[in-house]
Amino acid sequence: MNVLSLIDDHRFGCVVQGLRGEDLHDASVRDRLQALWIDKGLIIFRDGDSDPDFHIALSAIFGDLQVHAVKEILVEGRDKLIQLVANPDSSSIVEVNGVERAGFIPWHSDQIYTQQINHGGILKIVDQPDEGGETGFVDQIEAYQRLPDDLRRKCEGLEVIYQLRPRDFTRFLPFQTLRVVKEAAFQAALAERAANGAFPPVAHPLVFVQPETGRKVLNLSPAFALGIVGLPAEEGSALIMELAKILTDESVAYDHSWAEGDLVLWDNWRMLHCARGVRPGDLRIGHRTSIAGDYSLGRFLTADETAAFASFVLN
């Protein structure tokens, strides 16, 4: 196993080259990979094995694998993998800053709209167009360090309200203006499930401490965020937007351009990510695992909080 230098001189992320299936049986290799994951937050596996069995076995080094909460995107016959598809027939088309993109997903943390968010995932692109399709990453440990002292103090002890609302999850994207051109077919079924209460609102801390290192993490997912517990709607929205401007500054993001066989692991408790999308008409298919491991800080809202949330967010 060859560990390469930091990615593009970023303060997060590294490359591991030439990892093979037999390497996964070596306890020292597994320990080293786990330590890199905690330290760097993002690992790109390149020029090694990458078939589905290896993809799943590698993911299992970092924790138990879970079945994703959104059943509509599971890979048939392999419920430990989800399929993320951009194609002319089945994917949404979104106009992003005036440019149409299929398969675009804004800055988010996976499953932040549930009480127990997964710890990470490994993504592989199994069908990639010749242009576009990058995946963006932002480190929320580094983002917390960039916050002014007064803003750090303001964030302490606060919780963000999240909810999966498939047709309303883009309100805190300061550098992206979005317009839905075409909605994916599965979105209608997902919206119906959400309307019937399948995804009740939850709260997660705005800042938490990475247990292994003591480093503080800014825990904000611009997608799916709706407000701050206990703050009036306008005040909470202003704070989220202020943080989102710092967090999603494109100058600090890393965009991964996919090479054949790449597997990318990220720490979902720490990293934001986004799918930049592809040209409408192009095909892009990704397979991704979900690594379990609740950080035990998310919770459902109380009855009083739910009532307050409904009065200032849902109306």
Side-chain angles (χ1 to χ4, degrees):
M1 181 179 76
N2 179 27
V3 180
L4 303 184
S5 58
L6 293 182
I7 302 164
D8 289 349
D9 296 324
H10 272 70
R11 288 186 288 270
F12 64 88
C14 65
V15 177
V16 170
Q17 194 169 32
L19 191 67
R20 303 294 178 185
E22 56 267 25
D23 298 326
L24 304 186
H25 301 291
D26 186 329
S28 65
V29 171
R30 296 196 302 270
D31 290 345
R32 192 176 181 197
L33 290 175
Q34 290 168 341
L36 279 173
W37 186 39
I38 296 302
D39 183 30
K40 304 301 183 186
L42 176 71
I43 304 177
I44 296 168
F45 297 94
R46 182 167 286 165
D47 301 328
D49 290 343
S50 64
D51 61 84
D53 289 338
F54 179 84
H55 186 170
I56 292 171
L58 176 63
S59 302
I61 287 176
F62 304 96
D64 294 335
L65 303 188
Q66 63 181 196
V67 176
H68 196 277
V70 180
K71 309 301 183 186
E72 290 84 353
I73 59 176
L74 297 180
V75 173
E76 186 175 356
R78 288 185 179 272
D79 65 4
K80 298 300 193 299
L81 291 172
I82 63 170
Q83 181 161 278
L84 306 169
V85 179
N87 68 31
D89 299 322
S90 64
S91 64
S92 296
I93 297 176
V94 179
E95 187 180 86
V96 184
N97 296 340
V99 179
E100 289 190 1
R101 283 286 182 247
F104 168 83
I105 306 173
W107 290 111
H108 68 287
S109 300
D110 288 329
Q111 301 193 60
I112 192 73
Y113 48 81
T114 67
Q115 184 186 18
Q116 298 179 335
I117 64 174
N118 63 297
H119 197 174
I122 297 182
L123 177 64
K124 178 185 178 182
I125 303 304
V126 298
D127 206 325
Q128 172 77 1
D130 58 9
E131 179 183 315
E134 297 84 3
T135 303
F137 294 95
V138 167
D139 180 13
Q140 296 197 90
I141 289 178
E142 189 274 337
Y144 179 83
Q145 294 168 350
R146 288 189 285 112
L147 296 181
D149 288 343
D150 61 337
L151 194 51
R152 290 186 193 181
R153 288 191 292 269
K154 187 183 293 187
C155 292
E156 291 297 330
L158 295 180
E159 295 174 295
V160 186
I161 300 170
Y162 294 104
Q163 188 176 37
L164 177 59
R165 303 174 72 199
R167 292 171 175 148
D168 178 21
F169 63 97
T170 60
R171 62 181 67 191
F172 298 115
L173 299 171
F175 304 112
Q176 295 171 332
T177 300
L178 308 181
R179 182 178 69 88
V180 176
V181 177
K182 188 191 80 168
E183 185 177 75
F186 85 90
Q187 292 279 26
L190 190 58
E192 183 177 357
R193 287 178 60 202
N196 290 330
F199 304 99
V202 298
H204 287 274
L206 183 53
V207 175
F208 75 94
V209 175
Q210 188 182 43
E212 298 88 350
T213 68
R215 296 179 294 184
K216 288 193 173 182
V217 184
L218 177 62
N219 189 31
L220 176 64
S221 174
F224 312 117
L226 293 173
I228 301 290
V229 175
L231 293 187
E234 186 174 344
E235 183 180 350
S237 294
L239 176 58
I240 293 174
M241 185 61 81
E242 182 180 9
L243 293 169
K245 287 178 180 177
I246 297 171
L247 178 60
T248 62
D249 180 347
E250 293 290 346
S251 70
V252 299
Y254 166 69
D255 272 6
H256 183 66
S257 297
W258 292 86
E260 185 175 356
D262 282 358
L263 292 166
V264 177
L265 164 73
W266 66 94
D267 183 344
N268 188 53
W269 297 352
R270 165 184 176 180
M271 308 296 299
L272 279 186
H273 63 286
C274 71
R276 300 294 189 180
V278 299
R279 297 168 300 192
D282 283 350
L283 175 67
R284 180 182 188 267
I285 301 176
H287 287 174
R288 204 207 75 209
T289 55
S290 294
I291 300 166
D294 182 31
Y295 72 162
S296 302
L297 299 174
R299 65 179 182 85
F300 292 112
L301 300 186
T302 66
D304 288 346
E305 289 168 343
T306 299
F309 164 76
S311 69
F312 77 74
V313 175
L314 297 184
N315 293 334

